[in-house]
Amino acid sequence: MRAPGLHTTARLGTGAGGPVTEDSAVPKGPAMSTTWDDLVTTALLGTDRRPVSPGALLDEAALRTVQRRAALLPAAPRPLPEAAPEDVRPPLPEAARRRLALLLAERAAGPGGSGRRGGPDLTELLPQWLAAANDHGYRAPADLLPGLLDAARARSDLRPGALALGGPGALWLARLNPQWRYALRDAPASSAAPAATDTGEGVEQVWQEGLFAERVALLTSLRRRDPAAARELLATTWDRERAEDRLMFLDSLRDGLSPADEPFLEGALTDRGRTVRAAAAELLSALPASALAGRMAERARACVALDRTGGRPTVVVEAPHECDAGMRRDGVVAKPPAGRGERSWWLGQLVEAAPLGIWCERLGVAGAAEAVALPVADGWRPDLHAAWCRAAVRQEDAEWSRALLGPAASPPEPTGASWLDPAKLLSALPPAERAGWVAEFIAAHGLSEAFRLLGVCAVPWAKPLGRAVVDALDTAREAGGYPWSFSGVMGMAERCLDPDQADLLEALTVLPAGPGDDGAGHGAAGYWAEAYQRLIGTLRLRATMRRELADGSGPNAKGGRRQRERGPQTA
């Protein structure tokens, strides 16, 4: 008799007590040796010398053979996990479900799945598909959740959309697979915390005993529901946390930041971790009425004044001569980066942290535009305006952002100036104004400096912005350029142009006769026609995807359209 997977015969013989049979052999189970070597030895010696039931020997050999082939060690059985929580959202329409499976398969195939000169790059359409599906209020199919979690693990930009679509089922899976633990940290607040944390005891248990990712998810979720409770929970273990964990936990306070957080953040200014102190100071400076903002305002006023003695009022600057202990406690970094002077470095940090509201009174002007227009003496203008730019972004001040940007057709400074970052300033403007400013900028200056500006505009692009991009591309074509010189903008146009504009682009695929062509459609004109054909194909595919999602009865269909008009995340 040959045992499965063993290359010898287990001989049945007669033992000292008589014939060995299944009934007279040693008991099955724990009394029998269970290692592979023991099984081989028993088979070699025979069951007459190592009494054992032949049936038990064969059963054990079969089990160990399967384990060896699977490269697994035997493990104690574990209880099955609790059932996944129910997701009451409606399922995807069947056509949209097939589309998601195709998008995930294309991502898993890796590079080469679709070339730039071929069809649409499906992997780049996945983020906007997720955003559109979430706008409709659908849930992800259970069988596609693993692929969705893998995709979001590989691309952090997919995580918000993927986890929102995955819902409670995605989080249930993430708790079972360490590779998906990121989901417990990055999940939307509505589903980030485990169900057990709905009670006070559950919150305390997860906070005291949970993994770091679970604790971050819990704190983030609680902060969005009850900011004060989240802050109080953090305070209970603050002194025992590691510096890197304190920094991450502190970052969760950005959501719902209010004057009620000031005492806790003031205490963090004396933290033993330098990065923690800096983060606390940044948060406090975003509260214009905080004590830190007041101290920074006092220091900044002492450095910047208006000189009226000359023919024209001029801003004069006297940068700090030292970085004292009080400045360091309030988050001012004493040592500047390489190539930066100490005094200008300290000045920038003071002005950046001071409330922008102090400057109109300090400089005797009516508004931000007049303050920005004032001349600045002794070459301090780049440093002062750079600090104002950072303050406008941090404080989300549209008036100051608008003044520092200036007219789109003639920016006050070249966009290459180290202190001016139009993309960041644009983020403080309303979406419609943002798109209009970028459209005017492209019409006046072309596409060479517009790539980052386009990245902060709401998707799909407003029609004036879309027309400005297409007109600039057509101008480049007529000038004899090649489309690969604008590959970044072309790729962005595929994802961000309104799909309804596809038919309007048909005329751009016509091949005009010209000196750069050889009659077979090659040359610059041929490449442009091919690029536009690809663009049109992608826009029509996006329109198809939109119809597939609209074919269902998602509860948020109308709300989704309104969201697309507001925000930059949905195509």
Side-chain angles (χ1 to χ4, degrees), residues 270-286:
T270 59
D271 193 272
R272 57 188 180 275
R274 181 179 62 82
T275 56
V276 177
R277 296 194 302 270
E282 181 184 348
L283 289 172
L284 283 168
S285 68

Side-chain angles (χ1 to χ4, degrees), residues 241-296:
E241 305 289 354
R242 301 182 304 168
E244 55 268 31
D245 294 350
R246 294 198 303 275
L247 183 63
M248 181 70 75
F249 291 143
L250 200 61
D251 192 63
S252 69
L253 299 185
R254 295 180 187 276
D255 196 354
L257 185 67
S258 73
D261 299 316
E262 184 178 356
F264 179 84
L265 294 173
E266 273 285 339
L269 290 177
T270 59
D271 193 272
R272 57 188 180 275
R274 181 179 62 82
T275 56
V276 177
R277 296 194 302 270
E282 181 184 348
L283 289 172
L284 283 168
S285 68
L287 297 171
S290 68
L292 179 137
R295 295 192 295 269
M296 289 297 196

Side-chain angles (χ1 to χ4, degrees), residues 433-483:
E433 184 180 355
R434 197 183 312 165
W437 194 95
V438 177
E440 293 180 18
F441 181 92
I442 292 173
H445 306 286
L447 293 169
S448 59
E449 300 289 343
F451 185 77
R452 290 190 66 242
L453 305 182
L454 289 168
V456 300
C457 293
V459 174
W461 289 335
K463 289 185 178 180
L465 177 57
R467 285 196 299 269
V469 171
V470 173
D471 289 346
L473 289 171
D474 203 35
T475 299
R477 180 181 69 164
E478 293 177 354
Y482 283 82

Side-chain angles (χ1 to χ4, degrees), residues 3-7 33-43 50 57-58 60-69 74:
L6 298 177
H7 301 290
S33 297
T34 57
T35 68
W36 181 259
D37 289 341
D38 287 339
L39 288 172
V40 173
T41 301
T42 300
R50 283 199 172 189
L57 175 66
L58 295 176
E60 192 72 18
L63 175 63
R64 299 305 171 193
T65 298
V66 172
Q67 288 176 337
R68 285 167 62 87
R69 289 176 178 173

Side-chain angles (χ1 to χ4, degrees), residues 531-552:
Y532 278 122
Q533 288 168 357
R534 175 192 170 89
L535 173 59
I536 292 170
T538 303
L539 293 178
R540 287 177 174 162
L541 175 58
R542 287 175 52 207
T544 300
M545 291 165 52
R546 187 169 61 184
R547 288 193 299 271
E548 291 170 349
L549 288 167
D551 284 343

Side-chain angles (χ1 to χ4, degrees), residues 184-459:
L184 303 178
R185 180 184 67 250
D186 298 337
S190 59
S191 56
T197 63
D198 290 343
T199 65
E201 292 182 359
V203 168
E204 184 65 22
Q205 182 179 2
V206 173
W207 184 248
Q208 296 291 343
E209 303 174 7
L211 299 173
F212 176 68
E214 293 173 324
R215 299 178 72 213
V216 171
L218 169 63
L219 188 65
T220 302
S221 175
L222 186 60
R223 177 68 175 179
R224 292 173 182 172
R225 299 197 310 269
D226 189 342
R231 184 183 62 251
E232 292 167 4
L233 181 67
L234 177 58
T236 61
T237 60
W238 177 259
D239 293 336
R240 303 195 303 269
E241 305 289 354
R242 301 182 304 168
E244 55 268 31
D245 294 350
R246 294 198 303 275
L247 183 63
M248 181 70 75
F249 291 143
L250 200 61
D251 192 63
S252 69
L253 299 185
R254 295 180 187 276
D255 196 354
L257 185 67
S258 73
D261 299 316
E262 184 178 356
F264 179 84
L265 294 173
E266 273 285 339
L269 290 177
T270 59
D271 193 272
R272 57 188 180 275
R274 181 179 62 82
T275 56
V276 177
R277 296 194 302 270
E282 181 184 348
L283 289 172
L284 283 168
S285 68
L287 297 171
S290 68
L292 179 137
R295 295 192 295 269
M296 289 297 196
E298 184 178 355
R299 295 176 181 125
R301 284 193 191 96
C303 296
V304 180
L306 189 68
D307 181 7
R308 300 180 181 275
T309 59
R312 180 184 180 188
T314 301
V315 177
V316 292
V317 174
E318 181 66 27
H321 290 274
E322 64 173 341
C323 183
D324 58 33
M327 291 168 60
R328 292 194 297 271
R329 180 187 181 276
D330 286 344
V332 177
V333 179
K335 186 176 180 180
R340 183 76 180 272
E342 284 185 334
R343 297 182 65 198
S344 66
W345 172 245
W346 300 332
L347 172 74
Q349 294 179 80
L350 296 182
V351 174
E352 176 183 355
L356 287 166
I358 70 171
W359 295 115
C360 291
E361 178 184 358
R362 179 61 174 165
L363 301 177
V365 294
E370 293 182 37
V372 170
L374 288 171
V376 183
D378 301 326
W380 283 104
R381 184 172 183 269
D383 295 283
L384 180 61
H385 282 213
W388 279 344
C389 286
R390 295 192 297 272
V393 173
R394 179 184 296 186
Q395 299 172 35
E396 299 180 347
D397 192 304
E399 180 189 0
W400 276 85
S401 296
R402 193 177 296 118
L404 289 160
L405 278 168
S410 55
E413 295 288 340
T415 56
S418 59
W419 61 268
L420 181 61
D421 191 341
K424 290 184 177 180
L425 290 170
L426 283 168
S427 65
L429 300 181
E433 184 180 355
R434 197 183 312 165
W437 194 95
V438 177
E440 293 180 18
F441 181 92
I442 292 173
H445 306 286
L447 293 169
S448 59
E449 300 289 343
F451 185 77
R452 290 190 66 242
L453 305 182
L454 289 168
V456 300
C457 293
V459 174

Side-chain angles (χ1 to χ4, degrees), residues 454-515:
L454 289 168
V456 300
C457 293
V459 174
W461 289 335
K463 289 185 178 180
L465 177 57
R467 285 196 299 269
V469 171
V470 173
D471 289 346
L473 289 171
D474 203 35
T475 299
R477 180 181 69 164
E478 293 177 354
Y482 283 82
W484 48 77
S485 299
F486 304 92
S487 58
V489 174
M490 290 292 291
M492 192 176 290
E494 292 177 7
R495 303 186 296 274
C496 302
L497 275 175
D498 192 326
D500 293 338
Q501 295 182 336
D503 292 340
L504 302 178
L505 300 174
E506 284 285 2
L508 300 177
T509 63
V510 177
L511 286 174

